[in-house]
Amino acid sequence: MSLVQPLQHPAPIAGSASAIGRAIRARRRMLGVSQAELGSRIGRSRKWVSELEGGSTSPGIDSVASAAACLGMDLTLEHLGSVRARGASLPGSFERPNEDVWGSEGPLAWVIDGATQPLETVQTLDARTYAHALGRAIGERAADTRASLTEILADAIDRASTWPAAEPGPAATVAMARRSGTGFEWLVLGDAALLMRTDASASDARRVALLTDDRLASIAVPEREARRRARESGASPDELAERSADLYRAELAMRNRPGGYWVASGDPDAARHALHGYTDTLGPVLLASDGMLDVLGTAAPWRTRRTAFASWVEAPPEESVARVRDARSAIPGAKVDDATLVVVR
């Protein structure tokens, strides 16, 4: 039996997670029901109900629907068919072009991080041009909800990879999130990232998951360490370029092959090796290039994933990206990468 008898014509509620939380709180108070009582009826804690009403958790849609039903409300899901995405991007240095790209179309949002090519080789496409071509191809398939994100990315790689076979070609990492039903389908290829709050249990409602593919970090370790030492020791531009070229060659030898790592570059089959899944959550979720992740675990507000997530959700993306770039620029010898953040609701 429900906590209260449903209304003859249930009052619909819709909107963002915070709007739904406010509507549930108003209805609960009108009926004189306590948070503890509502939580007990749906198998949740009083704290969980409080966080739901305050918009500070990302609950599964089933639990929200149960709470709404107990209060005689109808949870309208039509608004979940598309996403609202707000993003910002800054180059690591204003002396070179930004190779990050982000976009959104209908239910889909994405971040693409073009990989800098340090070798002095003839390339038909540079990383920035390739990242933009990949983004356009993804956007053109955004409305195709019958295709999985893996299929959309594979098609985009195929269409954007237009360089001659003899060239190694540019590469990019990709993070995608698509509103699907009552949650998000997501995909991460390479070290781009997706962050989201999970609701694994009532006692762990604020846990933040970081989804990124770190296989590249296990490749060419000696060459990467040599470049890091050169950068931190203030090596000459020529020496640093040589160390970067060594690293590029070592990574290229293991690109898009078993035992190596996978990125968007030439072979559409790389999409099949991406991290891919579905999470039942109202959101928000964050898409980020790896330049945003460099500050995780450092000073406030990025000391933990949870505090970083809260900061990035609350602040305008352009402010968050600028703060990360400024923090990295203040560290002598630190790599300052292009940084992009997209808040998807």
Side-chain angles (χ1 to χ4, degrees), residues 206-225:
R206 293 190 178 185
R207 178 171 173 264
V208 172
L210 170 63
L211 304 173
T212 188
D213 184 349
D214 60 358
R215 279 176 284 190
L216 179 59
S218 64
I219 302 299
V221 174
E223 291 83 359
R224 185 172 293 103
E225 181 64 17

Side-chain angles (χ1 to χ4, degrees), residues 47-63:
K47 180 181 177 183
W48 183 91
V49 175
S50 175
E51 291 176 343
L52 167 65
E53 293 180 348
S56 60
T57 188
S58 293
I61 199 69
D62 290 343
S63 296

